[in-house]
């Protein structure tokens, strides 16, 4: 997940989780307008959360995958955006989040 840094303070409130279990706890506590998802969590893949990311009306929450690995066409259809860490600057990441 993303570590908080100064650039985020005027873009979004960030909730950082360390693993899949913590993510599920946070998702149960409050709704989120957007999820920035790193699939590489120590206790499983963050992609397992995709089916659970719904708002109060049952609509899918926008998801931006930010990963060390590339993913195929199938994942791209299931999320709002999929970015590769090594090819995405912080400026591009912030622009993507703002556009979503």
């Amino acid at each position: 997940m993303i570590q908080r840094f100064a650039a985020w303070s005027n873009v979004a409130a960030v909730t950082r989780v360390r693993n899949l279990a913590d993510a599920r706890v946070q998702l149960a506590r409050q709704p989120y307008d957007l999820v920035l998802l790193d699939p590489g969590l120590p206790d499983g893949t963050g992609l397992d959360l995709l089916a659970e990311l719904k708002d109060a009306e049952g609509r899918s929450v926008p998801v931006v995958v930010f990963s060390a690995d590339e993913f195929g066409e199938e994942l791209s259809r299931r999320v709002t955006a999929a970015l590769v860490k090594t090819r995405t600057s912080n400026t591009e990441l912030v622009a993507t989040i703002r556009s979503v």
Side-chain angles (χ1 to χ4, degrees):
M1 301 302 275
I2 291 182
Q3 297 211 354
R4 179 170 276 195
F5 58 99
W8 290 108
S9 63
N10 64 354
V11 176
V14 177
T15 301
R16 181 174 182 226
V17 299
R18 297 186 188 279
N19 56 46
L20 195 55
D22 288 346
R24 285 192 168 110
V25 167
Q26 291 302 320
L27 289 167
R29 284 186 181 161
Q30 65 184 15
Y32 288 88
D33 297 322
L34 179 138
V35 172
L36 182 59
L37 184 65
D38 185 343
L41 299 176
D43 59 343
T45 175
L47 299 177
D48 288 345
L49 295 172
L50 290 177
E52 302 170 38
L53 297 172
K54 306 285 184 195
D55 67 14
E57 286 80 39
R59 296 177 301 226
S60 294
V61 173
V63 175
V64 175
V65 173
F66 192 50
S67 174
D69 301 314
E70 283 196 49
F71 287 91
E73 189 74 23
E74 180 195 344
L75 176 66
S76 295
R77 286 191 302 266
R78 295 174 58 201
V79 298
T80 308
L83 306 172
V84 178
K85 291 178 181 180
T86 58
R87 294 195 315 239
T88 306
S89 69
N90 284 341
T91 302
E92 292 170 309
L93 176 61
V94 170
T96 300
I97 290 169
R98 284 186 176 185
S99 73
V100 173

